[in-house]
């Protein structure tokens, strides 16, 4: 085909697709392909296509992902982890526009998170390991949406902190973090997963912790004194809070438990965890011992942990636990004796374990084996009942016979990591070493795909070094299909250089047809997204303003210190304490002068009395590391000591109105004695 003919064809594709869209929109007076309106687009589109050197696939991808200004064209929303930025990033799909970054473990001045507000500090400090050592960041890996019957219900989002051994709950009514909990007895929580009705948010340790928790134990006594934990954080689905008093744990051997996945449907009540470092290597590169990467990848096989959590729950209720670090813990001996825990061998150094939507199969892959191993839940049950064992590990944990549990062994490519699923009976596995996505068919009695089961059917190169991938609804009992996100660690040559720290590269992949196609790529230069969950946009029911004036997002109730216009006041509580009730509305602070004395403890309750959408105001105070963001209806409290005499202006940080620049105030800190005139 000549260049002219090709570009004419491309223009025709564009015109037809555009005209098709117009046709849907105006059912009366339709514009059909070939009509004047459609043909009129021809030369215009032709020119653009030619000038940009676009191929037909580019034109289709552009038309499929282009968001029309002012239209809600994003059918899905992705909740991406920010890694060690400690935040969650919300991205529209297919447009790949960033809608929001939710600060969780780390500071965010735009949203006033950890930059003054008492509410955010209280939430974050709940999760400190040492009460006297504040943590100002976390490593957030796997945001997981809450589930009802194994499907996303759009209510809550939870995510653990790998570095801090914590977890956080985000409320999807206002997209704000509400609770951060330090997991008892752990120093690192990596895997996290909801049980199918969000009964529990379950976290698994990466590093085992010396026990008793918080004590010193030499690495030489690693095998005897260090332990992993799987924690069943009891979740109150109405309040949206973890109930620590109802939380319990199962003690595990000191392997690295890494990631987890909950059984569903027929496998409901069970939990699966991969583990690495069954060698129990502790490193020691300068002490004549092998490095972790060598020592922890010696064994040909590591273990998938199979945990009967429903049975464990009964044992907990029956009081078979011991109190440890403020939590009820089912000891390893008890878990073994009661048949709550067993192992299945898996090829060495696995990363991740994923349960198929029908709940019948469990997929795991060793990073150094080019296959995904598929285990059958039914076969596992039979092996448990028949006591069909390969032996026991050094702690006495039964190891089921590998062959007895295995259903399939699917060759996918090099460096398989994570697997997600679509609505048509296919699985998608990320291949770190190949930098590719493998698509393969699921088998079993509920299989949907027409192709031969357990077979690789397509492979797509991504750029580069893919970690997780996420299919829309791809870890639920009912995946949506249509799109897949590839979360690539490196972008190497994809973008103009912005310095030696390159952005991570997200790629949006169309999985609706037989062949996977890349539709869009998005450099994300604000974080390392490890993983995500993709939900249908219409499942989210977020508020546009707070329901009443004087609302506290931490408690999701009316704040006792929230006020309305006319109730502003300054109360001197004693010689050292001043309490100020302030309102904000376009475009003034009331009061706009705060007179305090040197050394006063200032407690400020600021209420944004606006009822209009979007009318957020800010408050930035000079010299006091104080920057608040107050949404319509919200009340924020801040406390600080006015240590230094002087004059400190403050202003609204959101360009909220024509007179925003005038939305200002003064804090006057009068010296207690006249000689002192400010900062020394
Ligand atoms: Cu593979 Cu933390 Cu899920 Cu990173 S983890 S990729
Ligand atoms: Cu309020 Cu600017």
């Amino acid at each position: 085909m000549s260049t002219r003919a090709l570009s004419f064809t491309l223009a025709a594709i564009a015109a037809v697709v555009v005209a098709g869209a117009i046709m849907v929109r105006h059912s009366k007076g339709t514009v059909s392909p070939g009509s004047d309106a459609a043909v009129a687009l021809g030369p215009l589109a032709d020119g653009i296509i030619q000038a940009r050197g676009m191929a037909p696939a580019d034109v289709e991808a552009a038309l499929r992902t282009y968001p029309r200004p002012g239209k809600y064209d994003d059918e899905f929303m992705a909740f991406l982890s920010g890694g060690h930025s400690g935040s969650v990033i919300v991205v529209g799909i297919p447009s790949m526009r960033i809608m929001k970054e939710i600060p969780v473990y780390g500071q965010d001045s735009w949203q006033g998170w950890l930059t003054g507000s008492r509410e955010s500090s209280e939430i974050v400090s709940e999760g400190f390991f040492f009460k006297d050592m504040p943590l100002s960041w976390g490593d957030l890996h796997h945001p997981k949406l809450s589930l009802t019957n194994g499907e996303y219900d759009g209510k809550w989002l939870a995510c653990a902190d790998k570095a801090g051994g914590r977890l956080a709950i985000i409320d999807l009514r206002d997209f704000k973090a509400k609770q951060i909990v330090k997991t008892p007895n752990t120093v690192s929580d990596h895997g996290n997963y909801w049980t199918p009705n969000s009964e529990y948010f379950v976290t698994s340790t990466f590093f085992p912790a010396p026990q008793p928790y918080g004590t010193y134990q030499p690495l030489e006594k690693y095998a005897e004194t260090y332990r992993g934990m799987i924690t069943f954080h009891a979740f109150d689905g109405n309040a949206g809070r973890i109930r620590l008093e109802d939380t319990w744990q199962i003690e595990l051997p000191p392997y690295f438990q890494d990631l987890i996945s909950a059984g569903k449907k027929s496998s409901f009540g069970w939990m699966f965890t991969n583990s690495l470092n069954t060698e129990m290597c502790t490193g020691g590169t300068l002490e004549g011992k092998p490095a972790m990467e060598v020592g922890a990848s010696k064994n040909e096989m590591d273990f998938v942990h199979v945990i009967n959590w429903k049975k464990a729950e009964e044992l907990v209720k029956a009081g078979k636990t011991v109190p440890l670090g403020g939590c009820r813990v089912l000891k390893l001996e008890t878990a073994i004796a009661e048949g709550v825990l067993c192992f299945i061998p898996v090829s060495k150094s696995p990363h991740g374990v994923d349960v198929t939507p029908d709940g019948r199969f469990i997929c795991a892959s060793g990073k150094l084996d080019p296959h995904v191993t598929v285990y059958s839940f039914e076969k596992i049950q039979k092996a448990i009942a028949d006591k069909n064992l390969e032996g026991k590990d050094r702690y006495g944990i039964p190891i089921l016979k590998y062959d007895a549990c295995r259903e399939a062994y699917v060759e996918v490519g090099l460096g398989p990591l994570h697997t997600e699923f679509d609505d048509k009976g296919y699985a998608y596995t990320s291949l770190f070493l190949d930098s590719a996505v493998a698509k393969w068919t699921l088998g079993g009695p509920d299989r949907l795909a027409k192709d031969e089961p357990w077979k690789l059917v397509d492979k797509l190169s991504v750029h580069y070094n893919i970690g997780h991938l996420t299919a829309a609804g791809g870890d639920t009992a009912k995946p949506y299909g249509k799109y897949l996100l590839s979360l690539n660690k490196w972008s190497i040559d994809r973008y103009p250089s912005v310095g030696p720290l390159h952005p991570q590269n997200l790629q949006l992949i169309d999985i609706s047809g037989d062949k996977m196609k890349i539709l869009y790529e998005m450099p994300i230069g604000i974080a390392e997204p490890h993983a995500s969950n993709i939900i249908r946009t219409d499942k989210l029911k977020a508020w546009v303003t707070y329901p009443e004036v004087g609302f506290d997002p931490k408690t999701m109730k009316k704040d006792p210190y929230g006020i309305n216009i006319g109730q502003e006041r300054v109360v001197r509580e004693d010689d050292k304490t001043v309490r100020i009730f302030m309102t904000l509305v376009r475009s003034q602070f009331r009061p706009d002068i705060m007179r305090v004395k040197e050394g006063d403890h200032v407690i400020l309750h600021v209420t944004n009395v606006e009822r209009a959408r979007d009318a957020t105001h800010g408050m930035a105070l000079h010299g006091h590391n104080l920057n608040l963001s107050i949404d319509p209806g919200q009340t924020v409290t801040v406390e600080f000591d006015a240590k230094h005499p002087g004059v400190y202006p403050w202003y609204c940080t959101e360009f909220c109105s024509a007179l925003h620049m005038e939305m200002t105030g003064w804090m006057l800190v009068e010296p207690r004695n006249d000689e002192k005139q400010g900062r020394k």
Side-chain angles (χ1 to χ4, degrees), residues 14 97 191 257 287 306 321 350 399 456 486 545:
R97 291 171 297 180
Q257 271 82 27
E287 298 173 16
V306 178
T321 53
I399 306 168
L456 178 74
S486 167
T545 59

Side-chain angles (χ1 to χ4, degrees), residues 81 139-142 162 189-191 206 258-259 351-352 417-418 430 432 465-469 487 489 528-531:
S81 61
D139 190 9
L140 194 159
H141 280 219
H142 307 101
K162 183 178 173 185
D189 281 352
H190 187 211
F206 188 75
D258 200 27
L259 302 186
H351 182 47
L417 297 182
H418 304 290
S430 54
F432 182 81
N465 294 8
I466 177 173
H468 276 266
L469 43 64
L487 283 61
K489 304 293 181 189
E528 180 189 351
H530 281 259

Side-chain angles (χ1 to χ4, degrees), residues 614-656:
D614 241 344
T616 293
H617 297 284
M619 182 180 184
L621 173 66
H622 172 74
H624 288 71
N625 197 32
L626 191 155
N627 180 36
L628 307 177
S629 173
I630 311 115
D631 296 333
Q634 185 182 355
T635 295
V636 171
T637 291
V638 62
E639 283 185 58
F640 60 94
D641 292 321
K643 285 185 197 158
H644 304 286
V647 176
Y648 308 95
W650 84 78
Y651 64 97
C652 170
T653 43
E654 290 275 330
F655 204 112
C656 53

Side-chain angles (χ1 to χ4, degrees), residues 141 145 176 484 533 556 620:
H141 280 219
L145 292 155
K176 284 183 183 156
L484 181 106
N533 266 181
M556 288 302 247

Side-chain angles (χ1 to χ4, degrees), residues 184-450:
N185 303 313
T186 78
V187 291
S188 169
D189 281 352
H190 187 211
N192 58 212
Y193 217 95
W194 292 99
T195 53
N197 286 299
S198 303
E199 299 92 342
Y200 295 101
F201 187 64
V202 189
T203 59
S204 61
T205 47
F206 188 75
F207 296 100
Q211 304 294 346
Y213 178 60
T215 60
Y216 172 80
Q217 302 292 347
L219 276 176
E220 289 68 28
K221 287 199 167 166
Y222 183 87
E224 301 83 53
T225 58
Y226 287 55
R227 289 293 176 266
M229 290 283 172
I230 183 164
T231 309
F232 290 78
H233 299 270
F235 185 68
D236 178 341
N238 291 319
R241 297 292 184 278
I242 297 296
R243 290 187 315 255
L244 252 183
E245 61 282 12
D246 295 328
T247 292
W248 48 272
Q249 301 183 296
I250 306 174
E251 191 183 63
L252 297 174
Y255 312 144
F256 290 9
Q257 271 82 27
D258 200 27
L259 302 186
I260 55 179
S261 190
K264 48 187 136 229
K265 298 181 182 167
S266 59
S267 57
F268 176 80
W270 294 70
M271 204 81 206
F272 307 93
T273 309
N274 76 290
S275 67
L276 50 128
N277 196 20
T278 46
E279 298 84 353
M280 296 193 283
C281 174
T282 55
T285 43
L286 287 188
E287 298 173 16
K289 297 195 191 112
M292 279 299 291
E293 62 169 331
V294 178
S297 51
K298 273 197 186 135
N299 292 349
E300 273 317 304
M301 293 298 220
D302 287 303
F303 299 126
V304 165
H305 295 33
V306 178
I307 295 163
N308 185 344
W309 70 260
K310 265 290 168 193
K311 182 155 185 196
E313 190 184 50
E314 284 166 24
L315 298 172
V316 171
K317 283 188 187 144
K320 301 247 169 161
T321 53
V322 298
L324 212 65
C327 190
R328 289 170 298 163
V329 179
L330 207 56
K331 294 288 283 178
L332 188 53
E333 312 81 271
T334 319
I336 298 167
E338 299 283 349
V340 160
L341 170 69
C342 63
F343 287 159
I344 318 173
V346 62
S347 335
K348 71 160 82 167
S349 303
H351 182 47
V353 51
D354 299 285
V355 178
T356 55
D358 60 13
R360 287 180 184 274
F361 303 102
I362 297 104
C363 310
S365 26
K367 297 187 287 275
L368 306 174
D369 171 353
H371 295 84
V372 174
T373 306
V374 182
Y375 304 94
S376 148
F377 181 70
E378 222 172 288
K379 289 184 179 175
I380 294 170
Q381 292 307 303
K382 187 163 183 327
I384 293 174
D386 296 350
K387 298 205 165 48
N388 194 354
L389 306 182
E390 299 207 341
K392 292 185 174 178
D393 85 332
R394 66 172 283 170
Y395 297 96
I397 301 163
I399 306 168
L400 302 178
K401 265 234 173 70
Y402 176 71
D403 291 335
C405 302
R406 193 174 96 176
E407 177 76 22
Y409 192 52
V410 188
E411 183 166 358
V412 288
L414 299 180
L417 297 182
H418 304 290
T419 298
E420 291 235 338
F421 308 94
D422 73 4
D423 57 332
K424 298 196 179 75
Y426 295 94
Y428 301 81
T429 300
S430 54
L431 304 173
F432 182 81
L433 296 176
D434 269 353
S435 284
V437 173
K439 172 180 177 181
W440 50 279
T441 35
L442 295 173
D446 303 328
R447 61 190 281 247
L448 297 167
K450 51 191 179 324

Side-chain angles (χ1 to χ4, degrees), residues 584-589 608 610 615-619 630 651-664:
L584 290 82
V585 71
R586 276 161 291 170
S587 307
Q588 57 173 273
F589 293 91
N608 179 346
E610 300 269 5
T616 293
H617 297 284
M619 182 180 184
I630 311 115
Y651 64 97
C652 170
T653 43
E654 290 275 330
F655 204 112
C656 53
S657 65
L659 294 173
H660 153 80
M661 301 305 288
E662 287 76 5
M663 192 168 173
T664 62

